[in-house]
Amino acid sequence: MECCCLGGEKVHTQLLVWSNQNIAKLSVAISGLTNKKDNKITAKNITAGFISYVITDEFAGGCGNRKPQDFDSLLVADVIDPITSKQLLKKTCSQCG
């Protein structure tokens, strides 16, 4: 994975993990980054987490009194959870952010 930024900027990257097998404890190892000019970002300045999802409905017509049967439900990314590992069930995916 390659990413570019100017000094002082924050960079956000996502990685998608998918497997044919269950993974009991998927984790991400963080190390320092070095570019071709030998500039470095140390591991202490890098964080990782897993993206958690919530079920929501479509936002058709805005908020108000609504009948759930009138709106489709969706699974959407909601928050980057700072947990250190996560179970991954086969033929599903998990995102690391």
Side-chain angles (χ1 to χ4, degrees), residues 1-14 33 41 45-48 80 97:
M1 186 179 304
E2 191 168 316
C3 189
C4 297
C5 68
L6 300 174
E9 291 183 333
K10 289 186 177 185
V11 177
H12 301 274
T13 303
Q14 290 185 3
L33 305 172
I41 300 174
N45 291 313
I46 301 170
T47 59
I80 299 175

Side-chain angles (χ1 to χ4, degrees), residues 34-49:
T34 304
N35 70 7
K36 294 175 186 175
K37 295 181 181 180
D38 205 38
N39 296 313
K40 300 179 186 316
I41 300 174
T42 62
K44 72 177 184 172
N45 291 313
I46 301 170
T47 59

Side-chain angles (χ1 to χ4, degrees), residues 4-76:
C4 297
C5 68
L6 300 174
E9 291 183 333
K10 289 186 177 185
V11 177
H12 301 274
T13 303
Q14 290 185 3
L15 173 70
L16 179 72
V17 180
W18 188 93
S19 177
N20 280 326
Q21 301 175 11
N22 289 335
I23 300 175
K25 193 173 181 181
L26 177 66
S27 62
V28 178
I30 298 175
S31 63
L33 305 172
T34 304
N35 70 7
K36 294 175 186 175
K37 295 181 181 180
D38 205 38
N39 296 313
K40 300 179 186 316
I41 300 174
T42 62
K44 72 177 184 172
N45 291 313
I46 301 170
T47 59
F50 291 91
I51 298 176
S52 294
Y53 292 82
V54 296
I55 296 176
T56 187
D57 61 16
E58 56 188 278
F59 192 65
C63 297
N65 291 331
R66 298 157 53 111
K67 296 178 184 174
Q69 63 270 21
D70 293 339
F71 297 93
D72 193 14
S73 60
L74 308 164
L75 189 62
V76 296

